[in-house]
C-alpha cells in the first residue's frame, strides 16, 4: 500500500514513567493468575565441573565444502589507482526499449475466494490447488534467466564484501578500541561469527551461478573508528537486505528464491544487531523495504576497489550520488545539532563522523543516569531527541552523471531522467514524493514527509532510501523498479 502523499517520521517516543508492573493502555483483564517465588541466596562465584551425561562419539567434515575459508581473499585495501580496461555495465546484443510501459493487472490474476472454502479440486488430500513448483518436479537450484543470473551475481558481490568487511574491522581495531565503543570480547566474537556466516552465503550463491560466479575483490572502506565501522556495517547490511527483498519474488527460479530467502533472513538479523551495537533502535519499522537491483549496486559499487581480471561484470545501473547535507549524526545526543556534511567521507553511504567533541557525544552517556540520551550499545535505545522528524528541512546536493565508480573504476554513473522535480522517499511499503525546491546547480531542499503506512506507523524511519526524480509515478513494492528511468540521483537517509 504505497502512498503518494506529500507528507512522515519520528522515532519511538521517550520512555514512559516507571510502573510497578508492565502496563498497556486499554488492555483490560490483565491480572496474572500465577505467582512466583524467586530463589534467595548469593549469585554463584565458583564454578565446578559439569555433570556427566550419556553421549556417543561423533565426527564432522562430511558436509559440502565452502567456496572459501574464513577469512579469505586479498587483505590489502584502498582506492583503485590503475586504468580500467573495460568501462560500463554489461550489455546484451540488443536492448528492446528505454522504459517499461505500465500495463493493467495480469489477465490470469482473477482468483477470489467468496466463501472461505477451497474453490478448485485438490491434487491430493490436504493440499489446496495452486502454487508453483508443487507438481512433484525435482527442484533445480540454479539461476534460470538473465534476470536471475544478474540478480544473484549482485548478491554474491554483496556477500563477498560482507565477509571481508566484518573481518577487516576486527583486524584493524584493537581490543581497547572496541571497549571504548562499549563492545566486549563477546561482541567481537559475534562479529567474527557473522563473517563465517558469509562464507556459507557466498558458497550458496556461487553454486547457484556456476563457473562464472564472481570471486572476492579488494575494497576501500570509509571508517576510521569502531563506531564508524559499526555504522557502515548497519548501512551496508540495510541495502544488502533490501536489495534482495526487491527482486526475490521476480526470480524465474523459485528454487533459487527459496534458498536466497533463507540466507537473507540471517542478513536481516545482522543488520538489526549492528543497529543495537550503534545504540539505535533495532527495528523502528513495521515492514522492511525492498529496492531495485540498480539501487543496491549504486550503494555497493563505490566501496569495491578492484576485482581480479575477467571477473564477471554486472548489467545494473550506477546512479549519480545524492548527498544529504544535514544528515543526522547518530553519535550526537542532539542530532539536530549535526553540522553540514558531518560524515567520515564523501561517498554515498559513508558513516557519520564519530570524532565529535566528547561533550556533544552520546557515546559516553550513562543510559541509567540519563535515559534517552545514550547511544551506547544495548538491546534497545529510545532517544529523547529523534534523529529526524516529520517536516524536517532536508538539504541536498547531487553529483553529475559520468563519474567512474566500482571495481577498477570501470563502471560509469548514468541517468536517463529529466529535470529534477521531486524527492522520492522509499521506506517500508511506501513510496512518498515531496516537492523539491532547487537552490542552484545540483542543489536543493525538501521536507521530510509525515505519511504513515498504517495509522501510528510513520513511513519514514530507520535507515532508508531517498532519490531525486523528474516525475512522481505511482508505484508499489512489486513494481518499484519502474522508477529507475526517472531517478536523477540516489542517496541513503538516516531517519532513525
Amino acid at each position: 500500500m504505497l502512498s503518494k502523499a506529500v507528507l512522515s517520521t519520528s522515532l519511538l517516543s521517550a520512555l514512559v514513567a516507571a510502573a510497578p508492573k508492565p502496563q498497556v493502555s486499554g488492555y483490560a483483564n490483565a491480572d496474572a493468575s500465577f505467582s512466583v517465588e524467586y530463589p534467595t541466596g548469593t549469585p554463584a562465584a565458583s564454578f565446578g565441573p559439569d555433570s556427566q551425561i550419556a553421549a556417543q562419539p561423533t565426527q564432522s567434515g562430511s558436509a559440502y565444502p565452502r567456496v572459501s575459508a574464513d577469512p579469505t581473499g586479498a587483505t590489502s585495501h584502498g582506492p583503485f589507482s590503475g586504468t580500467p580496461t573495460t568501462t560500463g555495465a554489461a550489455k546484451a546484443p540488443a536492448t528492446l526499449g528505454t522504459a517499461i510501459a505500465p500495463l493493467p493487472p495480469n489477465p490470469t490474476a482473477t482468483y477470489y475466494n467468496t466463501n472461505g472454502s477451497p474453490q478448485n479440486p485438490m491434487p491430493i488430500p490436504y493440499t489446496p490447488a495452486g502454487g508453483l513448483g508443487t507438481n512433484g518436479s525435482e527442484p533445480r537450484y540454479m539461476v534460470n534467466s538473465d534476470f536471475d543470473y544478474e540478480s544473484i551475481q549482485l548478491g554474491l558481490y554483496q556477500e563477498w564484501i560482507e565477509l571481508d568487511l566484518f573481518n577487516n574491522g576486527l583486524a584493524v581495531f584493537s581490543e581497547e578500541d572496541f571497549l571504548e565503543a562499549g563492545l566486549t570480547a563477546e561482541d567481537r566474537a559475534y562479529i567474527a561469527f557473522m563473517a563465517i556466516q558469509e562464507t556459507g552465503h557466498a558458497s550458496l550463491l556461487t553454486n547457484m551461478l556456476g563457473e562464472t560466479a564472481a570471486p572476492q575483490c579488494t575494497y576501500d572502506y570509509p571508517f576510521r573508528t569502531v563506531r564508524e565501522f559499526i555504522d557502515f556495517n548497519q548501512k551496508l547490511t540495510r541495502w544488502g537486505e533490501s536489495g534482495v527483498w526487491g527482486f526475490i519474488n521476480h526470480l524465474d527460479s523459485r528454487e533459487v528464491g527459496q534458498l536466497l530467502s533463507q540466507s537473507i533472513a540471517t542478513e536481516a538479523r545482522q543488520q538489526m544487531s549492528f543497529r543495537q551495537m550503534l545504540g539505535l533502535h533495532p527495528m523502528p519499522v513495521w515492514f522492511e523495504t525492498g529496492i531495485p537491483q540498480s539501487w543496491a549496486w549504486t550503494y555497493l559499487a563505490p566501496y569495491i576497489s578492484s576485482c581480479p581480471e575477467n571477473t564477471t561484470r554486472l548489467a545494473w545501473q550506477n546512479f549519480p550520488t545524492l548527498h544529504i547535507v544535514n544528515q543526522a549524526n547518530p553519535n550526537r545526543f542532539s542530532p539536530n545539532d549535526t553540522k553540514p556534511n558531518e560524515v567520515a567521507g564523501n561517498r554515498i553511504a559513508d558513516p557519520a563522523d564519530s570524532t565529535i567533541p566528547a561533550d556533544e557525544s552520546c557515546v559516553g552517556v550513562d543510559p541509567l543516569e540519563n535515559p534517552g540520551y545514550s547511544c551506547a550499545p544495548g538491546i534497545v535505545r529510545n532517544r529523547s531527541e529523534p534523529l529526524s522528524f516529520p517536516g524536517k528541512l532536508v538539504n541536498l546536493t547531487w553529483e553529475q552523471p559520468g563519474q567512474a565508480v566500482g571495481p577498477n573504476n570501470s563502471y560509469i554513473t548514468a541517468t536517463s531522467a529529466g529535470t529534477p522535480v521531486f524527492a522520492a522517499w522509499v521506506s517500508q511499503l511506501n513510496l512518498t514524493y515531496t516537492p523539491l525546491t532547487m537552490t542552484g546547480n545540483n542543489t536543493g531542499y525538501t521536507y521530510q514527509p509525515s505519511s504513515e503506512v498504517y495509522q501510528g506507523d510513520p513511513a519514514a524511519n530507520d535507515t532508508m532510501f531517498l532519490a531525486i526524480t523528474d516525475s512522481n509515478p505511482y508505484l508499489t513494492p512489486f513494481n518499484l523498479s519502474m522508477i529507475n528511468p526517472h531517478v536523477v540521483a540516489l542517496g541513503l537517509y538516516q531517519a532513525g
Side-chain angles (χ1 to χ4, degrees), residues 252-432:
D252 290 283
S253 171
R254 300 184 74 82
E255 298 96 323
V256 168
Q258 172 68 41
L259 298 189
L260 187 60
S261 67
Q262 292 178 239
S263 68
I264 210 62
T266 297
E267 185 108 345
R269 290 164 170 81
Q270 292 175 349
Q271 205 270 339
M272 188 175 89
S273 297
F274 285 124
R275 288 181 62 86
Q276 290 174 311
M277 293 180 193
L278 197 65
L280 294 173
H281 193 288
M283 47 174 182
V285 291
W286 297 5
F287 305 92
E288 299 302 340
T289 312
I291 58 173
Q293 295 95 322
S294 288
W295 290 36
W297 182 228
T298 297
Y299 296 121
L300 173 59
Y303 301 100
I304 305 177
S305 177
S306 62
C307 290
E309 188 176 359
N310 297 323
T311 294
T312 299
R313 298 183 64 76
L314 293 179
W316 307 113
Q317 185 174 0
N318 297 90
F319 291 105
T321 295
L322 171 66
H323 299 285
I324 293 87
V325 177
N326 57 333
Q327 180 87 275
N329 187 340
N331 299 297
R332 288 185 173 274
F333 62 75
S334 177
N336 282 351
D337 293 323
T338 301
K339 295 178 174 59
N341 300 309
E342 199 170 270
V343 289
N346 195 42
R347 283 175 284 176
I348 191 168
D350 283 0
D353 183 2
S354 68
T355 63
I356 58 176
D359 61 355
E360 300 174 14
S361 172
C362 55
V363 179
V365 176
D366 190 310
L368 297 178
E369 293 181 2
N370 298 285
Y373 293 97
S374 174
C375 60
I379 294 174
V380 67
R381 292 277 179 247
N382 286 338
R383 300 187 68 128
S384 296
E385 183 180 315
L387 293 190
S388 67
F389 51 88
K392 176 183 176 179
L393 173 69
V394 180
N395 294 313
L396 306 169
T397 65
W398 54 96
E399 297 177 356
Q400 286 288 106
Q403 307 298 313
V405 296
N408 309 84
N409 283 342
S410 62
Y411 291 82
I412 308 298
T413 61
T415 176
S416 59
T419 303
V421 180
F422 293 97
W425 306 75
V426 177
S427 179
Q428 303 198 67
L429 307 181
N430 284 36
L431 165 61
T432 303

Side-chain angles (χ1 to χ4, degrees), residues 118-317:
Q119 306 294 294
N120 298 294
M122 289 182 169
I124 59 174
Y126 309 108
T127 303
L132 298 177
T134 59
N135 62 355
S137 58
E138 181 180 352
R140 177 181 182 269
Y141 294 100
M142 293 287 291
V143 294
N144 208 35
S145 65
D146 286 348
F147 183 92
D148 287 8
Y149 181 89
E150 296 291 342
S151 299
I152 299 303
Q153 196 75 261
L154 169 64
L156 181 57
Y157 272 89
Q158 177 79 23
E159 305 296 0
W160 279 132
I161 194 175
E162 290 170 353
L163 169 57
D164 182 80
L165 171 63
F166 301 163
N167 282 315
N168 182 256
L170 296 172
V172 300
F173 297 116
S174 68
E175 178 180 352
E176 291 73 21
D177 292 332
F178 276 93
L179 288 173
E180 286 180 4
L183 298 170
T184 68
E186 290 175 316
D187 299 309
R188 299 197 310 276
Y190 184 28
I191 296 172
F193 179 72
M194 292 190 215
I196 296 172
Q197 290 176 321
E198 297 308 327
T199 67
H201 297 172
S203 298
L204 175 70
L205 271 59
T206 295
N207 293 337
M208 294 192 296
L209 287 167
E211 61 187 17
T212 58
Q216 193 167 20
C217 299
T218 60
Y219 307 99
D220 185 22
Y221 297 129
F223 49 79
R224 306 158 302 169
T225 68
V226 169
R227 289 278 302 182
E228 291 172 6
F229 165 63
I230 299 299
D231 192 8
F232 184 60
N233 286 348
Q234 71 92 10
K235 288 181 168 72
L236 183 130
T237 51
R238 167 74 284 141
W239 79 64
E241 177 191 349
S242 290
V244 170
W245 296 139
F247 71 71
I248 192 168
N249 281 315
H250 294 287
L251 293 171
D252 290 283
S253 171
R254 300 184 74 82
E255 298 96 323
V256 168
Q258 172 68 41
L259 298 189
L260 187 60
S261 67
Q262 292 178 239
S263 68
I264 210 62
T266 297
E267 185 108 345
R269 290 164 170 81
Q270 292 175 349
Q271 205 270 339
M272 188 175 89
S273 297
F274 285 124
R275 288 181 62 86
Q276 290 174 311
M277 293 180 193
L278 197 65
L280 294 173
H281 193 288
M283 47 174 182
V285 291
W286 297 5
F287 305 92
E288 299 302 340
T289 312
I291 58 173
Q293 295 95 322
S294 288
W295 290 36
W297 182 228
T298 297
Y299 296 121
L300 173 59
Y303 301 100
I304 305 177
S305 177
S306 62
C307 290
E309 188 176 359
N310 297 323
T311 294
T312 299
R313 298 183 64 76
L314 293 179
W316 307 113
Q317 185 174 0

Side-chain angles (χ1 to χ4, degrees), residues 42-60:
T42 57
S46 61
F47 307 92
D50 293 337
S51 299
Q52 299 299 304
I53 60 173
Q56 66 179 12
T58 61
Q59 68 178 50
S60 60

